[in-house]
Protein backbone atom coordinates (compact mmCIF):
# COMPACT_ATOMS: atom_id res chain seq x y z
CA UNK A 1 0.00 0.00 0.00
CA UNK A 2 1.30 3.41 -0.96
CA UNK A 3 1.06 6.66 0.94
CA UNK A 4 -0.54 9.44 -1.08
CA UNK A 5 -0.69 13.15 -0.44
CA UNK A 6 -3.86 15.10 -1.13
CA UNK A 7 -1.94 18.29 -1.81
CA UNK A 8 0.50 18.87 -4.66
CA UNK A 9 3.82 19.79 -3.14
CA UNK A 10 5.90 22.64 -4.56
CA UNK A 11 8.68 21.83 -7.03
CA UNK A 12 11.68 20.26 -5.38
CA UNK A 13 9.75 19.33 -2.26
CA UNK A 14 11.29 15.91 -1.93
CA UNK A 15 12.40 16.65 1.62
CA UNK A 16 10.31 15.49 4.58
CA UNK A 17 7.16 17.53 5.08
CA UNK A 18 7.12 20.28 7.68
CA UNK A 19 3.96 18.69 9.04
CA UNK A 20 1.29 16.27 7.89
CA UNK A 21 -2.04 14.88 8.92
CA UNK A 22 -1.83 11.16 8.27
CA UNK A 23 -5.28 9.70 7.64
CA UNK A 24 -5.72 5.95 7.90
CA UNK A 25 -8.42 5.00 5.39
CA UNK A 26 -8.46 1.45 6.71
CA UNK A 27 -9.59 2.93 10.03
CA UNK A 28 -12.36 4.85 8.25
CA UNK A 29 -13.47 1.63 6.57
CA UNK A 30 -13.37 -0.32 9.83
CA UNK A 31 -15.34 2.37 11.65
CA UNK A 32 -17.92 2.43 8.85
CA UNK A 33 -18.31 -1.34 9.02
CA UNK A 34 -18.67 -1.18 12.80
CA UNK A 35 -21.40 1.45 12.55
CA UNK A 36 -23.04 -0.50 9.75
CA UNK A 37 -23.19 -3.61 11.94
CA UNK A 38 -24.85 -1.62 14.72
CA UNK A 39 -27.35 -0.04 12.33
CA UNK A 40 -28.12 -3.36 10.64
CA UNK A 41 -29.41 -4.67 13.95
CA UNK A 42 -32.27 -2.19 13.57
CA UNK A 43 -32.63 -2.73 9.84
CA UNK A 44 -31.04 0.65 9.05
CA UNK A 45 -28.36 1.73 6.63
CA UNK A 46 -25.54 4.27 6.97
CA UNK A 47 -25.26 7.82 5.69
CA UNK A 48 -21.59 8.76 6.05
CA UNK A 49 -21.30 12.42 6.97
CA UNK A 50 -18.36 13.99 5.16
CA UNK A 51 -19.12 17.66 5.73
CA UNK A 52 -16.33 20.08 6.68
CA UNK A 53 -13.87 18.14 4.49
CA UNK A 54 -14.79 14.94 6.36
CA UNK A 55 -14.16 16.60 9.71
CA UNK A 56 -10.74 17.65 8.47
CA UNK A 57 -9.80 14.21 7.15
CA UNK A 58 -10.42 14.81 3.43
CA UNK A 59 -13.92 14.51 1.99
CA UNK A 60 -13.31 12.69 -1.28
CA UNK A 61 -10.90 10.07 0.09
CA UNK A 62 -13.04 9.38 3.16
CA UNK A 63 -16.28 9.30 1.16
CA UNK A 64 -14.79 6.66 -1.11
CA UNK A 65 -13.54 4.65 1.86
CA UNK A 66 -16.92 4.82 3.59
CA UNK A 67 -18.76 3.70 0.48
CA UNK A 68 -16.30 0.84 -0.01
CA UNK A 69 -17.16 -0.24 3.55
CA UNK A 70 -20.89 -0.24 2.93
CA UNK A 71 -22.21 3.28 3.45
CA UNK A 72 -25.16 3.68 1.09
CA UNK A 73 -25.52 7.45 1.44
CA UNK A 74 -23.21 10.45 1.82
CA UNK A 75 -24.13 13.60 3.70
CA UNK A 76 -22.74 17.13 3.44
CA UNK A 77 -23.75 20.44 4.94
CA UNK A 78 -22.93 22.83 2.09
CA UNK A 79 -24.01 22.61 -1.57
CA UNK A 80 -20.44 23.01 -2.77
CA UNK A 81 -19.38 20.03 -0.63
CA UNK A 82 -21.95 17.82 -2.37
CA UNK A 83 -20.96 19.11 -5.80
CA UNK A 84 -17.29 18.44 -4.99
CA UNK A 85 -18.15 14.78 -4.39
CA UNK A 86 -20.02 14.55 -7.67
CA UNK A 87 -17.15 16.22 -9.53
CA UNK A 88 -14.83 13.59 -8.07
CA UNK A 89 -16.99 10.86 -9.59
CA UNK A 90 -18.85 9.70 -6.48
CA UNK A 91 -22.21 8.24 -7.38
CA UNK A 92 -25.22 7.21 -5.33
CA UNK A 93 -27.41 9.35 -3.08
CA UNK A 94 -25.92 12.45 -1.50
CA UNK A 95 -27.80 14.75 0.87
CA UNK A 96 -26.95 18.44 1.38
CA UNK A 97 -28.81 20.56 3.89
CA UNK A 98 -27.40 24.03 4.50
CA UNK A 99 -28.61 26.03 1.51
CA UNK A 100 -28.75 29.81 1.22
CA UNK A 101 -31.61 31.44 -0.61
CA UNK A 102 -31.11 30.63 -4.27
CA UNK A 103 -29.67 27.20 -3.77
CA UNK A 104 -27.71 26.81 -6.04
CA UNK A 105 -30.72 24.68 -6.93
CA UNK A 106 -30.01 24.21 -10.65
CA UNK A 107 -26.55 22.72 -10.11
CA UNK A 108 -27.77 20.49 -7.28
CA UNK A 109 -30.79 19.19 -9.19
CA UNK A 110 -28.72 18.49 -12.29
CA UNK A 111 -26.18 16.63 -10.15
CA UNK A 112 -28.89 14.49 -8.60
CA UNK A 113 -28.15 15.74 -5.09
CA UNK A 114 -30.91 15.48 -2.49
CA UNK A 115 -31.60 19.00 -1.24
CA UNK A 116 -33.22 19.94 2.07
CA UNK A 117 -36.25 22.17 2.54
CA UNK A 118 -36.40 23.76 5.97
CA UNK A 119 -39.38 25.94 5.12
CA UNK A 120 -42.04 26.59 2.49
CA UNK A 121 -40.07 29.36 0.77
CA UNK A 122 -37.19 26.94 0.10
CA UNK A 123 -39.50 24.29 -1.29
CA UNK A 124 -41.08 26.86 -3.59
CA UNK A 125 -37.64 27.94 -4.87
CA UNK A 126 -36.68 24.31 -5.48
CA UNK A 127 -39.91 23.58 -7.36
CA UNK A 128 -39.44 26.61 -9.61
CA UNK A 129 -35.88 25.52 -10.46
CA UNK A 130 -37.03 21.95 -11.15
CA UNK A 131 -39.81 23.15 -13.45
CA UNK A 132 -37.33 25.33 -15.35
CA UNK A 133 -34.95 22.38 -15.76
CA UNK A 134 -37.71 19.98 -16.71
CA UNK A 135 -36.74 17.35 -14.13
CA UNK A 136 -37.96 16.70 -10.58
CA UNK A 137 -35.80 17.70 -7.65
CA UNK A 138 -34.97 15.17 -4.97
CA UNK A 139 -36.04 16.86 -1.75
CA UNK A 140 -35.84 15.96 1.92
CA UNK A 141 -37.94 17.79 4.50
CA UNK A 142 -36.33 18.65 7.82
CA UNK A 143 -38.41 18.92 10.98
CA UNK A 144 -37.27 20.92 13.99
CA UNK A 145 -38.17 18.44 16.72
CA UNK A 146 -36.53 20.41 19.51
CA UNK A 147 -32.98 21.38 18.54
CA UNK A 148 -34.16 24.89 17.70
CA UNK A 149 -31.78 25.24 14.78
CA UNK A 150 -32.50 24.23 11.16
CA UNK A 151 -35.84 22.69 10.29
CA UNK A 152 -39.54 23.49 10.38
CA UNK A 153 -41.27 24.00 13.71
CA UNK A 154 -44.28 21.77 14.47
CA UNK A 155 -46.77 24.63 14.00
CA UNK A 156 -45.54 25.12 10.40
CA UNK A 157 -44.94 21.47 9.54
CA UNK A 158 -48.38 20.71 8.14
CA UNK A 159 -48.09 23.60 5.69
CA UNK A 160 -44.72 22.29 4.48
CA UNK A 161 -45.81 18.68 3.96
CA UNK A 162 -48.99 19.71 2.15
CA UNK A 163 -47.00 22.00 -0.14
CA UNK A 164 -44.57 19.13 -0.77
CA UNK A 165 -47.42 16.79 -1.63
CA UNK A 166 -48.77 19.30 -4.17
CA UNK A 167 -45.31 19.72 -5.70
CA UNK A 168 -44.98 15.94 -5.98
CA UNK A 169 -48.34 15.74 -7.70
CA UNK A 170 -47.20 18.44 -10.12
CA UNK A 171 -44.03 16.46 -10.87
CA UNK A 172 -41.56 19.12 -9.76
CA UNK A 173 -40.23 17.34 -6.67
CA UNK A 174 -39.80 13.87 -5.30
CA UNK A 175 -39.80 13.78 -1.50
CA UNK A 176 -37.04 11.29 -0.76
CA UNK A 177 -36.68 11.83 2.97
CA UNK A 178 -37.94 13.27 6.22
CA UNK A 179 -35.37 13.94 8.89
CA UNK A 180 -34.38 15.79 12.03
CA UNK A 181 -31.42 16.19 14.39
CA UNK A 182 -30.92 15.60 18.12
CA UNK A 183 -29.89 18.30 20.56
CA UNK A 184 -28.56 16.13 23.41
CA UNK A 185 -27.98 12.59 22.12
CA UNK A 186 -24.46 12.83 23.52
CA UNK A 187 -26.03 12.98 27.01
CA UNK A 188 -27.68 9.55 27.34
CA UNK A 189 -30.91 9.77 29.31
CA UNK A 190 -31.44 13.48 28.68
CA UNK A 191 -35.22 14.13 28.69
CA UNK A 192 -35.06 16.00 25.37
CA UNK A 193 -34.16 12.75 23.57
CA UNK A 194 -37.50 11.12 24.28
CA UNK A 195 -39.35 14.36 23.54
CA UNK A 196 -37.62 14.69 20.17
CA UNK A 197 -38.38 11.11 19.22
CA UNK A 198 -42.06 11.71 19.98
CA UNK A 199 -42.04 14.92 17.96
CA UNK A 200 -40.33 13.16 15.06
CA UNK A 201 -42.97 10.43 15.13
CA UNK A 202 -45.67 13.09 14.90
CA UNK A 203 -43.88 14.75 11.97
CA UNK A 204 -43.67 11.41 10.15
CA UNK A 205 -47.35 10.72 10.78
CA UNK A 206 -48.31 14.14 9.38
CA UNK A 207 -46.19 13.53 6.27
CA UNK A 208 -47.87 10.16 5.81
CA UNK A 209 -51.35 11.70 6.12
CA UNK A 210 -50.37 14.22 3.45
CA UNK A 211 -49.62 11.32 1.12
CA UNK A 212 -45.83 11.48 1.24
CA UNK A 213 -43.90 8.20 1.07
CA UNK A 214 -40.23 9.10 1.63
CA UNK A 215 -37.48 6.63 0.82
CA UNK A 216 -35.68 7.30 4.11
CA UNK A 217 -36.43 8.65 7.59
CA UNK A 218 -33.49 9.57 9.79
CA UNK A 219 -32.59 11.41 12.99
CA UNK A 220 -29.67 9.45 14.53
CA UNK A 221 -26.29 11.21 14.63
CA UNK A 222 -23.16 9.44 15.93
CA UNK A 223 -24.18 9.21 19.61
CA UNK A 224 -27.71 8.13 18.74
CA UNK A 225 -26.39 5.58 16.26
CA UNK A 226 -24.28 4.07 19.04
CA UNK A 227 -26.76 4.20 21.93
CA UNK A 228 -30.36 4.57 20.66
CA UNK A 229 -31.52 1.72 18.39
CA UNK A 230 -35.08 3.08 18.58
CA UNK A 231 -33.81 6.20 16.78
CA UNK A 232 -32.27 4.36 13.82
CA UNK A 233 -35.31 4.36 11.51
CA UNK A 234 -34.00 3.86 7.93
CA UNK A 235 -30.57 5.49 8.24
CA UNK A 236 -28.04 6.48 10.86
CA UNK A 237 -25.86 9.52 10.15
CA UNK A 238 -22.44 9.04 11.78
CA UNK A 239 -19.99 11.89 11.46
CA UNK A 240 -17.44 12.00 14.28
CA UNK A 241 -17.63 8.25 14.92
CA UNK A 242 -16.80 7.56 11.28
CA UNK A 243 -13.36 9.03 11.97
CA UNK A 244 -12.86 6.95 15.10
CA UNK A 245 -13.55 9.54 17.77
CA UNK A 246 -16.01 9.08 20.60
CA UNK A 247 -19.08 11.35 20.68
CA UNK A 248 -19.88 10.25 24.25
CA UNK A 249 -18.36 11.71 27.42
CA UNK A 250 -16.04 9.41 29.35
CA UNK A 251 -16.27 6.67 26.70
CA UNK A 252 -13.17 5.89 24.69
CA UNK A 253 -13.12 5.03 20.99
CA UNK A 254 -11.83 1.54 21.83
CA UNK A 255 -14.82 0.91 24.09
CA UNK A 256 -17.06 1.68 21.11
CA UNK A 257 -15.07 -0.49 18.72
CA UNK A 258 -13.70 2.55 16.87
CA UNK A 259 -10.20 3.63 15.88
CA UNK A 260 -9.06 7.25 15.41
CA UNK A 261 -8.11 7.80 11.78
CA UNK A 262 -5.94 10.93 12.01
CA UNK A 263 -2.40 11.35 13.30
CA UNK A 264 -1.08 14.91 13.24
CA UNK A 265 2.66 15.09 13.23
CA UNK A 266 5.50 17.49 12.48
CA UNK A 267 9.28 17.49 12.59
CA UNK A 268 11.58 19.35 14.95
CA UNK A 269 12.91 22.45 13.18
CA UNK A 270 15.48 23.60 15.76
CA UNK A 271 17.04 22.43 19.03
CA UNK A 272 18.99 24.77 21.29
CA UNK A 273 20.02 25.05 24.90
CA UNK A 274 18.72 27.78 27.18
CA UNK A 275 19.64 28.80 30.73
CA UNK A 276 17.36 28.62 33.74
CA UNK A 277 14.87 31.48 33.93
CA UNK A 278 14.78 32.08 30.19
CA UNK A 279 11.48 33.43 28.84
CA UNK A 280 9.89 31.45 26.01
CA UNK A 281 7.68 32.78 23.22
CA UNK A 282 5.35 35.81 23.21
CA UNK A 283 4.55 37.42 26.51
CA UNK A 284 7.03 35.26 28.41
CA UNK A 285 4.22 33.34 30.12
CA UNK A 286 6.70 30.47 30.46
CA UNK A 287 10.22 30.53 31.92
CA UNK A 288 12.60 27.61 31.98
CA UNK A 289 12.93 26.07 35.45
CA UNK A 290 16.53 24.95 34.88
CA UNK A 291 19.17 24.78 32.19
CA UNK A 292 17.44 22.91 29.40
CA UNK A 293 17.08 22.25 25.70
CA UNK A 294 14.21 23.79 23.72
CA UNK A 295 12.74 22.27 20.57
CA UNK A 296 10.97 24.35 17.94
CA UNK A 297 7.97 22.74 16.22
CA UNK A 298 6.81 24.36 12.94
CA UNK A 299 3.04 24.26 13.52
CA UNK A 300 0.82 26.97 14.94
CA UNK A 301 -2.64 28.39 15.15
CA UNK A 302 -2.60 29.20 11.42
CA UNK A 303 -2.48 25.42 10.95
CA UNK A 304 -5.39 24.89 13.32
CA UNK A 305 -3.76 24.29 16.69
CA UNK A 306 -5.68 26.14 19.41
CA UNK A 307 -3.91 29.16 20.83
CA UNK A 308 -5.44 28.08 24.13
CA UNK A 309 -3.01 25.14 24.10
CA UNK A 310 -0.31 27.52 25.31
CA UNK A 311 1.41 25.94 28.33
CA UNK A 312 -1.11 23.06 28.43
CA UNK A 313 -1.05 21.08 25.16
CA UNK A 314 1.18 18.02 25.06
CA UNK A 315 3.13 16.43 22.22
CA UNK A 316 5.15 13.24 21.83
CA UNK A 317 8.87 13.38 21.06
CA UNK A 318 11.36 10.56 21.48
CA UNK A 319 9.00 8.29 23.37
CA UNK A 320 7.94 10.91 25.92
CA UNK A 321 5.23 13.50 26.29
CA UNK A 322 6.29 17.13 26.53
CA UNK A 323 4.17 20.18 27.16
CA UNK A 324 3.91 23.24 24.93
CA UNK A 325 6.14 25.88 26.52
CA UNK A 326 4.77 29.40 26.28
CA UNK A 327 2.41 30.91 23.76
CA UNK A 328 1.26 28.96 20.74
CA UNK A 329 2.24 31.25 17.86
CA UNK A 330 0.82 31.52 14.36
CA UNK A 331 3.35 29.20 12.71
CA UNK A 332 5.30 27.57 15.52
CA UNK A 333 5.53 26.59 19.15
CA UNK A 334 8.28 25.58 21.57
CA UNK A 335 8.68 22.49 23.72
CA UNK A 336 10.85 22.36 26.84
CA UNK A 337 12.63 19.01 26.62
CA UNK A 338 13.52 19.25 30.34
CA UNK A 339 17.02 18.07 29.57
CA UNK A 340 20.08 20.31 29.42
CA UNK A 341 21.66 18.25 26.64
CA UNK A 342 21.13 19.56 23.13
CA UNK A 343 21.06 15.93 22.01
CA UNK A 344 17.76 15.38 23.85
CA UNK A 345 16.16 15.73 20.41
CA UNK A 346 17.50 16.34 16.94
CA UNK A 347 16.36 18.42 14.01
CA UNK A 348 14.07 16.26 11.91
CA UNK A 349 12.81 14.13 14.80
CA UNK A 350 9.12 13.28 14.66
CA UNK A 351 6.72 15.25 16.84
CA UNK A 352 3.29 13.65 17.24
CA UNK A 353 0.72 16.24 18.23
CA UNK A 354 -2.09 13.71 18.48
CA UNK A 355 -2.88 10.23 17.22
CA UNK A 356 -4.67 7.04 18.24
CA UNK A 357 -2.67 6.85 21.48
CA UNK A 358 -1.09 3.46 20.77
CA UNK A 359 2.43 4.60 21.63
CA UNK A 360 1.45 6.84 24.51
CA UNK A 361 1.08 9.91 22.30
CA UNK A 362 -1.67 12.42 23.10
CA UNK A 363 -5.04 11.92 21.43
CA UNK A 364 -7.48 14.45 20.02
CA UNK A 365 -9.46 13.91 23.22
CA UNK A 366 -6.41 14.87 25.28
CA UNK A 367 -6.06 18.09 23.30
CA UNK A 368 -9.76 18.81 23.67
CA UNK A 369 -9.62 18.39 27.45
CA UNK A 370 -6.48 20.50 27.74
CA UNK A 371 -7.94 23.37 25.73
CA UNK A 372 -11.53 23.25 26.95
CA UNK A 373 -13.16 22.25 23.70
CA UNK A 374 -14.48 19.19 21.82
CA UNK A 375 -12.62 16.53 19.89
CA UNK A 376 -14.79 17.59 16.91
CA UNK A 377 -13.08 20.98 16.90
CA UNK A 378 -9.56 19.63 17.30
CA UNK A 379 -9.69 17.61 14.06
CA UNK A 380 -11.90 19.87 11.93
CA UNK A 381 -9.77 22.96 12.51
CA UNK A 382 -6.58 21.45 11.05
CA UNK A 383 -6.15 23.73 8.07
CA UNK A 384 -5.15 23.40 4.42
CA UNK A 385 -1.50 24.32 5.10
CA UNK A 386 -1.15 20.82 6.52
CA UNK A 387 -1.07 18.20 3.73
CA UNK A 388 -3.27 15.15 4.21
CA UNK A 389 -1.34 11.96 3.65
CA UNK A 390 -3.46 8.86 3.13
CA UNK A 391 -2.46 5.38 4.20
CA UNK A 392 -4.54 2.24 3.91
CA UNK A 393 -5.21 2.71 0.19
CA UNK A 394 -5.88 -0.43 -1.79
Amino acid sequence: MTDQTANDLPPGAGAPLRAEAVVDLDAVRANTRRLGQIAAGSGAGVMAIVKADAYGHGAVACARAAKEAGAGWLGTALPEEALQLRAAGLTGPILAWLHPAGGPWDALIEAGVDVTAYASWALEEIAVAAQRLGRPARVQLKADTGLGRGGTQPHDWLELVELAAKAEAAGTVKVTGVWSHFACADEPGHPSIRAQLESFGQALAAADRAGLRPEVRHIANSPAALTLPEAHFDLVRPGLALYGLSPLPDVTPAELGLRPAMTLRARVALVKTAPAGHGVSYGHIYHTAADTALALVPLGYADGLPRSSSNVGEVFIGGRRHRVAGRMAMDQFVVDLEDPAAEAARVGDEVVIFGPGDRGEPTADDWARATGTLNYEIVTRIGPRVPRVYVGNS
Side-chain angles (χ1 to χ4, degrees):
M1 297 184 181
T2 304
D3 293 2
Q4 298 178 348
T5 59
N7 308 51
D8 288 330
L9 298 178
L17 297 172
R18 167 188 69 99
E20 58 192 2
V22 180
V23 178
D24 184 353
L25 296 178
D26 280 340
V28 174
R29 293 186 190 94
N31 297 332
T32 304
R33 285 191 291 269
R34 168 65 176 155
L35 292 156
Q37 290 166 354
I38 293 170
S42 305
V46 172
M47 177 187 290
I49 303 302
V50 293
K51 65 177 182 175
D53 200 28
Y55 289 48
H57 292 68
V60 171
C62 290
R64 287 180 177 145
K67 285 182 68 70
E68 288 164 2
W73 285 71
L74 298 172
T76 71
L78 306 182
E80 52 266 36
E81 294 172 333
L83 295 172
Q84 176 196 20
L85 298 178
R86 284 286 191 248
L90 283 147
T91 58
I94 299 174
L95 173 66
W97 59 80
L98 199 56
H99 313 289
W105 308 124
D106 288 23
L108 293 165
I109 293 168
E110 289 177 334
V113 172
D114 285 40
V115 296
T116 298
Y118 288 160
S120 296
W121 66 262
L123 188 59
E124 290 168 350
E125 282 194 2
I126 295 164
V128 168
Q131 186 173 33
R132 181 173 59 250
L133 293 172
R135 58 183 292 181
R138 292 175 57 89
V139 178
Q140 299 206 16
L141 309 178
K142 186 177 183 185
D144 181 357
T145 57
L147 177 58
R149 206 173 60 181
T152 300
Q153 283 275 314
H155 56 264
D156 291 324
W157 181 251
L158 185 58
E159 176 189 348
L160 181 64
V161 296
E162 288 180 345
L163 183 63
K166 290 178 181 176
E168 262 202 344
T172 55
V173 308
K174 168 60 179 170
V175 176
T176 58
V178 174
W179 67 288
S180 190
H181 196 61
F182 281 115
C184 304
D186 56 350
E187 301 176 48
H190 194 283
S192 68
I193 296 171
R194 187 58 48 196
Q196 284 198 253
L197 277 173
E198 291 175 0
S199 180
F200 190 52
Q202 292 165 4
L204 292 173
D208 186 71
R209 288 193 298 271
L212 299 178
R213 301 293 181 266
E215 298 170 17
V216 289
R217 306 157 300 157
H218 48 103
I219 188 173
N221 53 1
S222 285
L226 291 162
T227 65
L228 287 170
E230 65 270 36
H232 288 178
F233 293 93
D234 300 309
L235 287 176
V236 299
R237 299 193 312 266
L240 187 75
L242 202 71
Y243 310 106
L245 299 176
S246 173
L248 301 168
D250 304 318
V251 180
T252 67
E255 289 170 328
L256 297 170
L258 305 173
R259 178 170 176 77
M262 181 187 288
T263 297
L264 179 64
R265 65 191 187 190
R267 295 188 180 276
V268 173
L270 173 70
V271 180
K272 62 185 178 184
T273 57
H278 200 297
V280 177
S281 196
Y282 292 127
H284 281 184
I285 63 171
Y286 181 88
H287 290 80
T288 55
D291 292 355
T292 191
L294 302 176
L296 184 69
V297 182
L299 272 175
Y301 60 75
D303 301 295
L305 297 185
R307 190 169 183 266
S308 57
S309 63
S310 303
N311 277 352
V312 295
E314 290 187 332
V315 301
F316 194 70
I317 304 174
R320 289 182 52 203
R321 287 195 185 197
H322 300 276
R323 186 166 292 180
V324 174
R327 292 256 192 250
M328 173 69 64
M330 183 180 292
D331 310 297
Q332 55 199 291
F333 65 91
V334 178
V335 169
D336 186 342
L337 297 172
E338 298 178 324
D339 187 329
E343 291 77 19
R346 295 181 180 277
V347 170
D349 281 358
E350 180 186 68
V351 183
V352 179
I353 290 80
F354 60 78
D358 297 343
R359 296 182 289 163
E361 77 273 14
T363 64
D365 290 298
D366 292 331
W367 271 74
R369 281 189 290 270
T371 58
T373 187
L374 301 170
N375 49 10
Y376 296 75
E377 185 177 356
I378 296 300
V379 290
T380 57
R381 66 185 295 154
I382 303 305
R385 296 205 316 179
V386 181
R388 271 53 172 180
V389 175
Y390 297 102
V391 298
N393 292 299
S394 56

